Amino acid sequence: MEVVYFAGGCLWGVQAFIKNLPGVKFTEAGRANGTSYTLEGDYDGYAECVKTGFDPSVVTIQELMGYFFEIIDPYSLNKQGQDVGEKYRTGVYSENPEHLLEAKAFLGERNDYDLIVVEVLQLTNYMRSAEEHQDRLAKCPNDYCHIPEELLNKYK
């Protein structure tokens, strides 16, 4: 199993979508690339993200990127739906350099490459989000989500 981290705006919907994809074995709501190791205190530069464990014999990074692009606006800087701010930026993070090369290759093959603001960076820090954010939409299905419901359930 391998792990990659996807930031696509509010993590509630991103987790609800990703956990049903082929080859995904687990998901966890979290924060990528902040500067602190606590959930308390001032905003530290993190992006809301979903830690994604997947079986590379079933799904590739490029395939995961294709799914990810179904639920994000890749041209929107620090905003997805009604969620606005740096923590809602889009990105792909990994400790595995191969994952980053594959993600960059996916972006580079697109005709709209020069318009895309999805960052692809090494994971430097990860914090698991509080329990209330884990699988939030399963627990509170009426909470706001920027991803349309039909899309959230597309791969169930």
Side-chain angles (χ1 to χ4, degrees):
M1 177 144 56
E2 297 182 14
V3 176
V4 65
Y5 302 76
F6 289 102
C10 175
L11 54 77
W12 297 346
V14 177
Q15 184 177 28
F17 177 79
I18 289 177
K19 73 180 185 179
N20 293 309
L21 296 178
V24 171
K25 299 302 182 187
F26 76 85
T27 61
E28 179 179 87
R31 298 175 173 185
N33 288 3
T35 58
S36 69
Y37 290 91
T38 177
L39 299 177
E40 306 302 320
D42 294 335
Y43 174 70
D44 69 352
Y46 67 84
E48 289 197 1
C49 74
V50 176
K51 181 178 183 179
T52 304
F54 68 99
D55 181 344
S57 70
V58 176
V59 66
T60 67
I61 291 290
Q62 291 214 12
E63 289 168 329
L64 288 171
M65 291 288 291
Y67 291 126
F68 180 57
F69 266 58
E70 291 185 47
I71 60 167
I72 64 166
D73 175 353
Y75 317 122
S76 183
L77 184 63
N78 300 332
K79 179 182 187 302
Q80 293 291 306
Q82 296 176 19
D83 299 311
V84 179
E86 189 180 355
K87 72 179 182 175
Y88 298 117
R89 68 188 180 271
T90 53
V92 180
Y93 312 96
S94 182
E95 295 172 300
N96 182 335
E98 276 299 312
H99 291 170
L100 303 178
L101 290 173
E102 289 177 50
K104 288 177 182 176
F106 173 88
L107 297 178
E109 292 169 4
R110 294 179 55 101
N111 294 332
D112 57 354
Y113 176 75
D114 57 336
L115 302 173
I116 295 173
V117 295
V118 177
E119 60 185 18
V120 178
L121 297 170
Q122 179 178 345
L123 183 77
T124 57
N125 180 335
Y126 173 77
M127 290 291 302
R128 181 183 193 276
S129 289
E131 191 57 40
E132 68 189 79
H133 296 292
Q134 303 300 325
D135 294 308
R136 176 69 179 213
L137 291 182
K139 298 173 197 169
C140 305
N142 295 323
D143 279 359
Y144 168 75
C145 180
H146 67 283
I147 303 169
E149 190 171 340
E150 318 78 68
L151 194 48
L152 278 178
N153 298 317
K154 184 176 178 179
Y155 297 101
K156 275 191 172 180

